[in-house]
Amino acid sequence: MNSNAPSSSSGATGSADSSGPRRNSKRPKYSRFTQQELPACKPILTPRWVISAFMLVSIVFIPIGLASLFASRDVVEIIDRYETDCIPQALRNDKVKYIQGPEDKTCNRTLRVPKHMKQPIYVYYQLDNFYQNHRRYVKSRSDKQLKDPKSENDVSSCKPEDTTPGSNQIVPCGLIAWSMFNDTYSFSRNSEQLPLNKKGISWKSDRQHKFGKKVFPKNFQNGTLIGGAHLNSSIPLSEQEDLIVWMRTAALPTFRKLYGKIEVDLQANEIIQVQLKNYYNTYSFNGKKKLVLSTTSWLGGKNDFIGIAYLSVGGLCFVLAMAFTIIYLVKPRRLGDPSYLSWNRNP
Amino acid sequence: MAGWRGSRSRPGGGSPRAERIPSSRTIQLGHVQPQAPGHRTVFCNDREANVNAKFKGNSISTTKYNVLTFLPKGLFEQFRRVANSYFLMISLLSCTPVSPVSPITNVVPLSMVLFVSLVKEAYEDWKRLQNDKAINNSSIEVLQDRRWESIPWKKLQVGDVVRVRQDAFFPADLLFLASSNSDGVCYTETANLDGETNLKIRKALERTWDYVTSEKASEFNGEVQCEQPNNSLYTFTGNLIIEKQTLPLSPNQILLRGCSLRNTEYIVGTVMMNSMNVPSKRSTLEKKLDKVIVSLFLILFCMCLIGSMGGAIWINLKDYYLQLGKKDSTNTPQFDPNNRFAVFALGIFTLITLYSPIIPISLYVSVEMIKFIQSTQFINNDLHMYHTETNTPALARTSNINEELGQVEYIFSDKTGTLTRNLMEFFKCSIGGESYGTGITEIEMGGAQRNGKNIGEVRNSSIAIREKGFNFDDARLMHGAWRNEPYPDMCKEFFRCLAICHTVLPEGEESPEKIQYQAASPDEAALVTAAKRFGFFFFRRTPTMIYVRESHVEKMGKVRDVSYEILNVLEFNSTRKRQSVICRYPDGRLVLYCKGADTVIYERLTSGNNDLRNTTREHMEQYGAAGLRTLCLAYKDLSLDMYESWNEKFIQAKSSLRDREKKLDEVAELIERDLNLIGCTAIEDKLQEGVPSCIETLSRAGIKIWVLTGDKMETAINIAYACKLINNDMKQFIISSETAAIREVENKGDQVELERFIKDAVKTELKKCHEEAQNYLQSASGPKLALLIDGKCLMYALDPSLRRMLLSLSMSCSSVVTRLVRKGAQRITLSIGDGANDVGMIQAAHVGVGISGLEGMQAVMASDFAIAQFRFLTDLLLVHGRWSYLRICKVVTYFFYKNLTFSLTQFWFTFETGYSGQRFYDDWFQSLYNVLFTALPVIIFGLLEKDVSASLSKKYPELYKEGIRNAYFKWRVLGILAFFSVYQSIVVYNFVLTSSSRGVTSSGKMLGLWDVSTMAFTCLVITVNLRLLMMCNTITRWHHISVGGSILLWFIFIFVYSYISTNKGIFYVIYVLTSTLYFYITLLLVPVVALLGDFLYQGIQRWFFPYDYQIVQEVHRHEPDGSSAGLLEIGNQLTPDEARSYAFAQLPQEKSKHTGFAFDSPGYESFFASQQGVKAPQKAWDVVRRASMRSKPKKPQTS
């Protein structure tokens, strides 16, 4: 009848428990987790560790750095900046007017091969100060539309280049496609045309999965304002590799995009004639245009950065390891010296 | 009692008992006054009438939510957190076109966080509900239809008449009506409330004594007017109106909820009040967390400002490919070059949503989870804190403030029940210059241990007479052996003095085994018990006689009953510090026995016999140093003439109406002189196990301990000695109100004058102490300081004008003994106590610790942590607290770091995108970064991180100081972290972007934005996770699994995600990346470079500026994690300084300051006053008075 139940309320033992036999012991069960005694290793960052870690890094990094630097140095790269040179001298004070005008945009450039270039030689165009990563630009595309003919009407994200003034959907819609680069290059050596392979310049996954085989350009570049290239409306998007390359937007305002491949070796000191059509307007925003011919190594294009970074980090680590060793010898601190404890230092 | 919460006054009207309503109001001068909200009226035995008042039911509810309110209230609680409401705002914002990210970016983490938090809340609340149910369903007998019906507590209503049986708890605050004892008296034990185990007496009003049976009780219909429920234990005002008769109620008639009934068959009472609730606390670290978040906000705001200003400047029409100038509906003002202000303003919103991950949304929930597991799994299950005797494990009642345990600088401790067991034991004595008793106190043991002697095991082997109150072991005195001692007469007087000079009341059977001594103070009971053990068995008391059964007096083995007539009792009070009894032997010999403080007794001794005086004093000093409470005993033979003349004066004084106390004191002075010293007693105020060493360890940890006690100054000092809080080596500052000067002013009776005088005295005293303290502090190796201050002085010292000085003084002292304190310093405080009188203290402190186990639950209910023994504080603070603090700090700073790093990479990218706010990462990267890819390792870290093992934490308590200094959570620490996160973000961002600007395969293809960002994100996830591993002092399997798992999870995620999201830029990127060699080379380079800085910093820091814990790690680097070995080990290493001070303490002291006098006896005045027929205020605890009023012998109440 009488209850001393309230003692249980505290969650702790009350008189109820102390009176009875210890049937329900509240002794916590032992487990390594609850007693916080899980097996563990306790690394102590001793000077030896520090020095050997630095040494290890330098041992690993310096060879990698050397290898990638050599690889990068093996790459032969020809860069030709042409956006000013390709405008007739007389018209250079209003470049925008020239580029928008009806004049013939053909421009001949000659390139000298500095070193032997093994095929394949990759042809890039490089744009400067072109913000392919601008928010308004990046989102102005419709991946659905690019892939699926049924999603032709999916243009809502493409503003402001979604429909023609007559409300017909543009395929491919959006600012990216609209502003596609349209300079063209053709190469010849000793008056002999160098074949330019424009197949396989895009990532395979893009061709196969992102751009539909049954999607054809429609109403493209029909507006008053022409942004860039026209597309052949009889070729499906999956085969329009220039578009595919262009649509893979760059991360930085300075970027290169693959234009084609020359699949013959070029000898040192050979002269290459380039006939280019300078259509693309970078003059409005003072963008530079460059033509780049480059071979590749196992690491890719000419890229000293990785090699230098590896080398300098490796070197720095070596220096640090040495410095630490010297300090260790000059001013050693005995490990676990109790006199370093704060309460022993200031009595 | 704290937090009893009652209902508001009734709304009234429309009740069937409307005619009763006026009586519930106070009628004054003919007009009706609305009932003050401070009062309530209860109609007894009349449920209908009370319905109107809408009193709360008796069920207690500690739950926060119910089914309906859970969602709204729980969500509201969640959104009160800055971070959560911020993310709600961001989520809303990301639905608008200004947002560069899709809403999922913020909604996903927010909803995950909310989900986890709500699940946790629900679980905790459910547990509370179970707890409440257990209480609410315990049964109680209630009067219904003239019969006692058993109903659960929760059904009990105000006004019900209940019957409570012996040993049961009172279900609510009751008005005591009648008891099975015919004189309307019952005993209650208030251990639950104030920790005191001695019984308190409650007495019903005579008018209600009859309502014992159910028939009678059902006729009872009174009306109680009383104050609203409050948290005062010892006061109560109210009236009982019964048949138009108004009877005043006092605390004497109130039975408080939670107390239990003792020695009484049953009582009948009526319910007056009920219900309670407990407040909750927030940790200061969490408050500081808010500061961190605010500072992150500021960083965020600066970043947004820079970004959007850049955007406003950058925007132009030349970039025709963006078609910014196009005038149609699609062009929001955000990119309108003609409206740069709009660009700026909207840009801020854009960037806020973009950088939102800088605010660590999962921080709160992670920290909560860590703390929750810490308290439920670690603290609650710690075997070191499990007390086998009471079967009580530690209990963390809140998980909010674990890390505060690692920063406690001040401990406020209750004395009774916490430091001491409230158990007085007769331990030693000195008779005629001979010291008896072979026991060794804990203090002596500690001292001996430090000297390298091991004496722990030898005690209590020979004669194991143990009884409550008696722990004396010396064959020379037992069983009449004293007859062979050098001064047998002295011994006889000594024993008689013990047996006669007291106010103890025997109860129960008159046999030495069965008798129970009821004493107002356990000291007295111990003394009388000792006399019994020595063969002077006090077994009966009448108002004029004391009966003692004396053994071995005439010859060995002879037992006879002797009755002593008590002629006068000269009371004990705090000024006299002594108590005398004048008794007449059966043979007519008149003797005055006196016991009291050595100071007062020595003043009144006859001249001569200096040897005895000196040796006795020496003994007392020894006892005092051993932490014992001493009393001097003396006697004096009186001649009849002298007595008669004196007695006349005494009676005169006794019956005088003005200044009676003072006159009595004066008269007593006349006879209490020329005493003969007998010897002294030493009583051990039994400390809780391990208290002295615990206190010592804590004070080495830099914790300052304040002991709060209701005792007198002497007792307080004594107990402070006993638990090693202070020692003779310390400089003590004593501020007491009991000085001659103050007493003099007191006697003048002018309150205003008195107040001013005391204040001035306290002020000068404080100033003096303060200056002195400063001097000591400036000298290099000054002694430690201790401050003792009594309540009255403290009251004045807390006056605003003096408070500052007090504070700075007390902060420079390493221990403070005081009787009362209100609020401590700015630092983290911890209160520990066991009874309801500590509840206020427990709730006021940052951390409240309740002693659970044998006694009450009130303190536990109000506390944040409950432990069974004071000594477990070492584990709770030094191990759990320190680790908690360390872990939480590191977790918080790590969150700060990882989110800042992440957002900064995003920030750097903003500069390259024409400040357009283009996101660098995919939506899902951003939303899952915090909740998936970097979440688990930090939680594992927060659970398992240990810098040094538990046993080392206790061995080096000084390590705790890092927590007090808050060394791990300073702005400097955050600054260094911020620096490295800037460095790392630059490395990650620039290295990846620069290296990817050329063709990356031998097939010459280029990477796009999403490829680069995925690359960068991969590097970031790896860097951030490895950085965590670098922070660890302990690396378990789980660290590897979680860190490896998180990185693996990222790869699994990206492989799946980039495969299925065909309509996004992210499609296939990881397959493209992994097909290049560049990917692997960069993956090796970037994290290594990013972490190089941290590594270098850590190497240099450890080598040249090592933290203490790092040294300790190094010292013990070869030892295995001594888990079981360290179980009982508490460091006893002495620094040279301590060793020296200890050596000094061991030297024989010429004039010790401390002899250990302490005596508590609250009940004297009224008892003796009433004996002389003078009315004195009745006091609840007046045991003796209760006895003297018992007219006829009753059968023993104990059954």
Side-chain angles (χ1 to χ4, degrees), chain B residues 865-885:
Chain B
F865 299 91
I867 51 178
Q869 292 272 296
F870 182 82
R871 69 190 147 104
F872 293 155
L873 264 189
T874 336
D875 280 280
L876 190 65
L877 296 182
L878 298 189
V879 180
H880 290 283
R882 210 175 71 80
W883 281 349
S884 261
Y885 167 71

Side-chain angles (χ1 to χ4, degrees), chain A residues 135, chain B residues 98 308 332-335 341-351:
Chain A
R135 175 147 78 92
Chain B
V98 297
S308 54
T332 57
Q334 176 150 32
F335 295 116
F341 180 74
V343 175
F344 169 74
L346 290 171
I348 286 186
F349 288 110
T350 304
L351 295 176

Side-chain angles (χ1 to χ4, degrees), chain B residues 271-329:
Chain B
V271 178
M272 295 197 312
M273 305 171 189
N274 33 40
S275 260
M276 63 190 277
N277 75 333
V278 182
S280 70
K281 291 176 193 169
R282 232 179 136 215
S283 90
T284 47
L285 190 90
E286 201 167 307
K287 283 173 209 150
K288 189 143 186 195
L289 219 65
D290 285 348
K291 269 193 201 161
V292 170
I293 286 186
V294 168
S295 60
L296 281 173
F297 266 126
L298 286 179
I299 297 177
L300 172 69
F301 188 68
C302 291
M303 280 161 59
C304 292
L305 213 60
I306 293 170
S308 54
M309 276 192 326
I313 294 165
W314 182 88
I315 204 98
N316 61 48
L317 281 171
K318 290 180 189 161
D319 293 294
Y320 68 91
Y321 53 92
L322 301 175
Q323 296 198 1
L324 297 175
K326 191 163 182 176
K327 290 278 180 284
D328 60 14
S329 60

